PDB file of all heavy atoms in Angstrom:
ATOM      1  N   ALA A 149      -1.279  23.379  -3.368  1.00 51.00           N
ATOM      2  CA  ALA A 149      -1.220  21.912  -3.326  1.00 51.00           C
ATOM      3  C   ALA A 149      -0.727  21.360  -4.661  1.00 51.00           C
ATOM      4  O   ALA A 149      -0.934  21.948  -5.722  1.00 51.00           O
ATOM      5  CB  ALA A 149      -2.599  21.342  -2.984  1.00 51.00           C
ATOM      6  N   HIS A 150      -0.085  20.218  -4.580  1.00 57.00           N
ATOM      7  CA  HIS A 150       0.422  19.542  -5.781  1.00 57.00           C
ATOM      8  C   HIS A 150      -0.746  19.033  -6.614  1.00 57.00           C
ATOM      9  O   HIS A 150      -1.659  18.381  -6.106  1.00 57.00           O
ATOM     10  CB  HIS A 150       1.329  18.386  -5.364  1.00 57.00           C
ATOM     11  CG  HIS A 150       1.783  17.529  -6.506  1.00 57.00           C
ATOM     12  ND1 HIS A 150       2.641  17.973  -7.472  1.00 57.00           N
ATOM     13  CD2 HIS A 150       1.463  16.249  -6.840  1.00 57.00           C
ATOM     14  CE1 HIS A 150       2.856  17.002  -8.349  1.00 57.00           C
ATOM     15  NE2 HIS A 150       2.148  15.948  -7.987  1.00 57.00           N
ATOM     16  N   ASN A 151      -0.746  19.360  -7.897  1.00 57.00           N
ATOM     17  CA  ASN A 151      -1.809  18.927  -8.805  1.00 57.00           C
ATOM     18  C   ASN A 151      -1.282  17.784  -9.657  1.00 57.00           C
ATOM     19  O   ASN A 151      -0.502  17.997 -10.585  1.00 57.00           O
ATOM     20  CB  ASN A 151      -2.253  20.080  -9.704  1.00 57.00           C
ATOM     21  CG  ASN A 151      -3.525  19.753 -10.474  1.00 57.00           C
ATOM     22  OD1 ASN A 151      -3.855  18.584 -10.656  1.00 57.00           O
ATOM     23  ND2 ASN A 151      -4.239  20.769 -10.905  1.00 57.00           N
ATOM     24  N   PRO A 152      -1.687  16.547  -9.370  1.00 59.00           N
ATOM     25  CA  PRO A 152      -1.136  15.408 -10.122  1.00 59.00           C
ATOM     26  C   PRO A 152      -1.586  15.367 -11.570  1.00 59.00           C
ATOM     27  O   PRO A 152      -0.994  14.681 -12.392  1.00 59.00           O
ATOM     28  CB  PRO A 152      -1.655  14.195  -9.338  1.00 59.00           C
ATOM     29  CG  PRO A 152      -2.895  14.683  -8.662  1.00 59.00           C
ATOM     30  CD  PRO A 152      -2.658  16.136  -8.360  1.00 59.00           C
ATOM     31  N   LEU A 153      -2.662  16.107 -11.908  1.00 59.00           N
ATOM     32  CA  LEU A 153      -3.168  16.057 -13.271  1.00 59.00           C
ATOM     33  C   LEU A 153      -2.192  16.683 -14.262  1.00 59.00           C
ATOM     34  O   LEU A 153      -2.049  16.229 -15.391  1.00 59.00           O
ATOM     35  CB  LEU A 153      -4.523  16.767 -13.341  1.00 59.00           C
ATOM     36  CG  LEU A 153      -5.258  16.697 -14.684  1.00 59.00           C
ATOM     37  CD1 LEU A 153      -5.595  15.258 -15.020  1.00 59.00           C
ATOM     38  CD2 LEU A 153      -6.518  17.550 -14.640  1.00 59.00           C
ATOM     39  N   PHE A 154      -1.488  17.747 -13.810  1.00 58.00           N
ATOM     40  CA  PHE A 154      -0.580  18.462 -14.699  1.00 58.00           C
ATOM     41  C   PHE A 154       0.885  18.221 -14.344  1.00 58.00           C
ATOM     42  O   PHE A 154       1.769  18.825 -14.950  1.00 58.00           O
ATOM     43  CB  PHE A 154      -0.868  19.962 -14.647  1.00 58.00           C
ATOM     44  CG  PHE A 154      -2.278  20.308 -15.028  1.00 58.00           C
ATOM     45  CD1 PHE A 154      -3.214  20.630 -14.063  1.00 58.00           C
ATOM     46  CD2 PHE A 154      -2.683  20.270 -16.351  1.00 58.00           C
ATOM     47  CE1 PHE A 154      -4.519  20.942 -14.414  1.00 58.00           C
ATOM     48  CE2 PHE A 154      -3.976  20.572 -16.709  1.00 58.00           C
ATOM     49  CZ  PHE A 154      -4.904  20.914 -15.738  1.00 58.00           C
ATOM     50  N   ALA A 155       1.160  17.400 -13.354  1.00 62.00           N
ATOM     51  CA  ALA A 155       2.539  17.118 -12.971  1.00 62.00           C
ATOM     52  C   ALA A 155       3.099  15.997 -13.830  1.00 62.00           C
ATOM     53  O   ALA A 155       2.446  14.988 -14.081  1.00 62.00           O
ATOM     54  CB  ALA A 155       2.613  16.736 -11.485  1.00 62.00           C
ATOM     55  N   GLY A 156       4.331  16.170 -14.292  1.00 59.00           N
ATOM     56  CA  GLY A 156       4.972  15.133 -15.082  1.00 59.00           C
ATOM     57  C   GLY A 156       4.417  15.051 -16.491  1.00 59.00           C
ATOM     58  O   GLY A 156       3.643  15.889 -16.956  1.00 59.00           O
ATOM     59  N   GLN A 157       4.801  14.020 -17.184  1.00 65.00           N
ATOM     60  CA  GLN A 157       4.420  13.822 -18.573  1.00 65.00           C
ATOM     61  C   GLN A 157       3.224  12.890 -18.666  1.00 65.00           C
ATOM     62  O   GLN A 157       3.127  11.904 -17.948  1.00 65.00           O
ATOM     63  CB  GLN A 157       5.598  13.230 -19.350  1.00 65.00           C
ATOM     64  CG  GLN A 157       5.352  13.082 -20.842  1.00 65.00           C
ATOM     65  CD  GLN A 157       6.553  12.514 -21.564  1.00 65.00           C
ATOM     66  OE1 GLN A 157       7.552  12.182 -20.926  1.00 65.00           O
ATOM     67  NE2 GLN A 157       6.475  12.402 -22.866  1.00 65.00           N
TER      68      GLN A 157
END
Side-chain angles (χ1 to χ4, degrees):
H150 174 68
N151 191 338
L153 185 63
F154 302 103
Q157 185 179 3

